[in-house]
Amino acid sequence: TGLPVSNHDHGINGMDFDDQGNLIVAVGGNTNLGIPHGNLGCLDESPFAAAILEVPVWKTNFNGTIVYLERDSCNVNDNQVDGHLVDPAPGIDVRVMSPGLRNAFSVEV
């Protein structure tokens, strides 16, 4: 999917639909309060980590393919280890609604 997942216990958690038909997804963080930790794979956060995401699955021509581009070179880089060096490619229909949530277990809309 291109969504981040830690090597330990933070991952894709709760999902719900809002009144507009958007899929709302809770994604766990890769770090311990922003600090890479061995139990979580020593990974930095990536653009969609530790956040609640809004995914408009109802949209005609919905593009949910998550591709990351390196900030310096614009080369495609989907390696989760480099999450701190990349941004989502333009045209992806997934957005961060609420960042900075270490490991939200569920969402209720």
Side-chain angles (χ1 to χ4, degrees), residues 7-45:
N7 287 350
H8 187 55
D9 58 0
H10 295 178
I12 311 304
N13 291 311
M15 292 187 261
D16 199 0
F17 286 93
D18 67 13
D19 292 338
Q20 290 78 40
N22 297 307
L23 178 62
I24 309 300
V25 182
V27 180
N30 291 329
T31 67
N32 252 346
L33 302 173
I35 301 168
H37 189 275
N39 286 350
L40 300 174
C42 291
L43 301 172
D44 286 310
E45 297 297 2

Side-chain angles (χ1 to χ4, degrees), residues 64-101:
T65 303
I66 297 174
V67 176
Y68 298 100
L69 301 177
E70 293 179 0
R71 287 187 198 104
D72 294 338
S73 67
C74 291
N75 291 329
V76 172
N77 184 345
D78 292 327
N79 188 336
Q80 180 167 299
V81 173
D82 297 327
H84 62 294
L85 303 174
V86 298
D87 288 319
I92 297 170
D93 291 323
V94 176
R95 76 173 188 94
V96 174
M97 285 180 65
S98 182
L101 302 169

